[in-house]
Amino acid sequence: RRFITLGVCFMLLLSCVPYSVLSAVAEDKVQLTNLPTIYITLDNGAEQSEITKDGPQLPGTCSLVGEGIEELSELPITIKGRGNSTWTLPKKPYQIKFDEKVDVLGMGEAKKWILLANYWDKTLMRNFITYNLALKMGLDYTTQCQFVDVVINGKYQGNYLLTEKVELGGQR
C-alpha cells in the first residue's frame, strides 16, 4: 500500500506542472529535468505531423543539452518515423540520422539513433532494464541506451529512450 500511495503522490506532483510551463522552458534549450534534453527543430517550417514512417526523411537540426555531458549544438539531421504498431500510437517513435558520425552520450560514434517512445510501458523502464541486463550478462550484441527528454519544434514530447540503431559497424 505504501508503494501505491507514493506512486499516486508522485503522479499527482507531476500533473501539477503545467504543460505550458514545460513548453515555454523548452524554447530556451535548457535541460528540462535531470535527464539530458534533445531539441529537434525541423527545417522550412515543417510541422511535427509531417514526419512520416514511409515518406521522405525531413531535414532539421538537433541539439543535446545536459549537465555533465558533451553537449551537441545545432547539428544537421534528418528524421523519420519508425515502428509498425507503435507508429499508430499517440506518442511516436523516431529515427534520427546525423550527417556525420556523432558520439551521443558516450555510446560510440554513429550516424543513426533511435528514439523509443515506450508508450505501452507506463513504467518507462522495461526496455531500459532489459538492455542493461543483457549488457551485464555479456551478450554478444546489446544496444546501449539512455533516457532523454525530447522537444520537437519547441514542444515538449516527453521522456524517450535513446538507443543505438541495430546495424553492422565498427562499434556496433
Side-chain angles (χ1 to χ4, degrees):
R1 285 184 177 176
R2 180 179 296 162
F3 292 115
I4 292 172
T5 304
L6 288 173
V8 170
C9 289
F10 181 70
M11 291 173 67
L12 286 173
L13 178 64
L14 285 178
S15 67
C16 292
V17 178
Y19 182 79
S20 59
V21 169
L22 287 175
S23 293
V25 171
E27 294 178 16
D28 296 334
K29 292 194 180 165
V30 297
Q31 186 175 356
L32 297 178
T33 66
N34 63 333
L35 299 173
T37 304
I38 292 179
Y39 289 89
I40 296 171
T41 304
L42 301 175
D43 289 350
N44 304 321
E47 296 292 325
Q48 180 182 356
S49 60
E50 296 176 50
I51 301 172
T52 63
K53 176 178 102 127
D54 299 319
Q57 297 185 25
L58 293 180
T61 58
C62 179
S63 298
L64 174 69
V65 296
E67 189 175 322
I69 64 167
E70 184 177 335
E71 295 186 358
L72 307 175
S73 182
E74 301 297 322
L75 295 178
I77 62 162
T78 56
I79 185 169
K80 70 175 190 171
R82 70 174 308 274
N84 289 315
S85 58
T86 55
W87 183 248
T88 64
L89 301 172
K91 187 177 175 186
K92 307 289 187 200
Y94 301 105
Q95 173 184 290
I96 57 175
K97 181 180 178 185
F98 292 93
D99 288 351
E100 299 175 359
K101 289 185 176 184
V102 177
D103 183 2
V104 179
L105 299 173
M107 292 189 279
E109 289 189 342
K111 285 186 176 184
K112 295 179 184 173
W113 296 89
I114 303 299
L115 290 166
L116 295 177
N118 291 325
Y119 183 81
W120 280 320
D121 178 9
K122 300 306 177 199
T123 67
L124 303 176
M125 302 267 310
R126 291 182 190 144
N127 284 325
F128 180 80
I129 289 171
T130 303
Y131 289 149
N132 283 294
L133 181 61
L135 281 172
K136 297 282 185 195
M137 292 172 59
L139 295 180
D140 285 339
Y141 181 80
T142 305
T143 58
Q144 295 183 62
C145 60
Q146 294 285 329
F147 286 113
V148 294
D149 287 318
V150 174
V151 176
I152 299 177
N153 285 349
K155 294 181 183 152
Y156 181 69
Q157 301 302 309
N159 176 278
Y160 279 73
L161 190 63
L162 177 71
T163 68
E164 300 175 290
K165 175 153 173 78
V166 177
E167 59 188 357
L168 296 175
Q171 298 181 19
R172 295 181 173 199

